[in-house]
Amino acid sequence: MDLKHLKRKDSKRFIKVGDTVIGDGFTVIAGPCAVESEEQIYFSAKRLKELGINIIRGGIFKPRTSPHSFQGLGLEGLKYLDTVKKEFGVYVVSEVMDPRDIDSMFPFVDIFQIGSRNMQNFSLLKEVGRAKKPVLLKRGMASTIREWLLAAEYIAEEGNLDIILCERGIRTFENYTRNTLDLSSVPIVKELTFLPIIVDPSHGTGLKSLILPMSKASIACGSDGLMIEVHPDPKRALSDGRQSLSFEEFERVWREIRNFYKCLEEFKNQSLL
Ligand code: PEP
Ligand code: MN
């Protein structure tokens, strides 16, 4: 593949986000699909921090299929992200949809998310490439792995190599699930590039009951982490409520994911002996 900046080499890229590192060990990012109110994000960040989650997600610009659906709080949401960052010391990942918003978001966001629908928005890619902040690049829902990695090259071409790839499923003829979570991309990406890759089983399946098994599968195939949607009251969520875990559900999933990861690490260490 014609990768110039991101071609695999001996060392992996570790991406520093405050005092945490993505690519070294296993990172779980969690939070609501969208920031809906100060109370909602405050409660979410508090519970997640208590569980030991340091990077939270929450969109303030939502790319919705219908223009009549909730579009996100927009820049008002930045105030609430700022509050939780200061109060709980968490880091924040949030989607940027328009290059004109990068400057206003910059002080409040620790990782810029490029959503599936914008994976090939080349002017947006170039602009986040110039911003000195890590980028979470989701796979386009109809993109090949080559197109995805070349989208990452656009960011790298501008000098920003702090790119985290995120597999979020692709559209196939299967419609029982929201998307088909293509976990084969994880080892393929690792063969081709030095970038870390995480998996989003929430958008990848659209089904709560699949989050735990697909999270375990992601760990088993070498993912560097996960991004999971969780909401204080999923039934009342303004976006993606059906696929969002409640905090009680998330806690159970989180405990199992941690145990599974630990077991696998022990197994790897033993087989080296
Ligand atoms: C999201 O993360 O909420 C989102 C909109 O994801 P995607 O771009 O993968 O659909
Ligand atoms: Mn969502």
Side-chain angles (χ1 to χ4, degrees):
M1 195 177 294
D2 32 348
L3 297 180
K4 184 169 137 200
H5 304 288
L6 302 174
K7 210 178 165 75
R8 186 196 159 135
K9 48 187 182 193
D10 288 339
S11 54
K12 280 174 75 177
R13 189 161 184 90
F14 291 165
I15 297 176
K16 268 189 70 144
V17 181
D19 54 11
T20 68
V21 180
I22 298 179
D24 185 19
F26 195 76
T27 308
V28 176
I29 300 172
C33 180
V35 176
E36 298 173 356
S37 66
E38 185 163 25
E39 298 69 41
Q40 175 243 23
I41 196 69
Y42 190 93
F43 176 87
S44 303
K46 182 171 185 289
R47 289 288 296 266
L48 291 169
K49 185 69 189 187
E50 282 164 5
L51 291 172
I53 305 254
N54 293 316
I55 307 181
I56 64 161
R57 59 153 292 145
I60 55 169
F61 297 109
K62 295 309 300 176
R64 305 305 299 282
T65 301
S66 165
H68 313 303
S69 305
F70 175 61
Q71 302 287 306
L73 293 182
L75 297 178
E76 182 198 343
L78 291 177
K79 280 192 295 199
Y80 310 146
L81 292 177
D82 192 40
T83 306
V84 297
K85 273 169 67 62
K86 288 194 176 127
E87 183 82 21
F88 304 113
V90 289
Y91 304 104
V92 164
V93 46
S94 198
E95 177 165 352
V96 58
M97 287 172 57
D98 187 323
R100 290 170 296 189
D101 293 321
I102 292 180
D103 285 349
S104 11
M105 290 174 79
F106 194 89
F108 306 101
V109 166
D110 301 285
I111 304 174
F112 281 117
Q113 176 171 324
I114 301 288
S116 190
R117 290 154 192 81
N118 271 316
M119 189 208 83
Q120 280 190 319
N121 180 338
F122 298 116
S123 39
L124 183 61
L125 295 175
K126 285 184 196 165
E127 217 49 62
V128 292
R130 287 178 207 129
K132 298 201 169 6
K133 212 149 256 195
V135 177
L136 180 84
L137 180 64
K138 290 195 135 194
R139 180 176 181 179
M141 62 183 78
S143 297
T144 63
I145 291 170
R146 178 169 180 271
E147 286 163 344
W148 185 20
L149 293 181
L150 289 174
E153 279 276 313
Y154 269 90
I155 300 171
E157 177 77 9
E158 298 301 320
N160 189 352
L161 296 184
D162 286 336
I163 307 163
I164 305 138
L165 297 163
C166 178
E167 171 59 63
R168 49 78 73 206
I170 49 175
R171 207 170 253 192
T172 67
F173 58 80
E174 180 54 71
N175 61 6
Y176 190 83
T177 45
R178 181 175 178 182
N179 289 288
T180 296
L181 187 56
D182 177 17
L183 289 183
S184 66
S185 71
V186 175
I188 294 173
V189 156
K190 297 215 167 253
E191 273 174 30
L192 297 173
T193 167
F194 54 79
L195 293 179
I197 175 167
I198 67 168
V199 174
D200 171 353
S202 303
H203 294 87
T205 67
L207 297 171
K208 282 184 184 208
S209 62
L210 290 190
I211 291 177
L212 179 59
M214 296 319 279
S215 294
K216 287 179 174 167
S218 306
I219 294 172
C221 69
S223 171
D224 295 293
L226 294 163
M227 183 155 85
I228 298 176
E229 284 186 343
V230 52
H231 191 282
D233 188 358
K235 285 205 172 66
R236 298 229 179 97
L238 299 180
S239 61
D240 286 350
R242 274 175 42 146
Q243 70 194 30
S244 299
L245 298 175
S246 67
F247 276 89
E248 292 67 37
E249 290 163 335
F250 178 77
E251 260 187 70
R252 247 177 284 133
V253 164
W254 166 236
R255 226 175 299 126
E256 286 217 35
I257 291 172
R258 272 182 23 194
N259 289 340
F260 188 75
Y261 179 74
K262 274 193 219 143
C263 282
L264 225 68
E265 285 301 293
E266 271 171 37
F267 177 75
K268 274 193 230 160
N269 292 338
Q270 279 170 15
S271 37
L272 282 180
L273 289 176

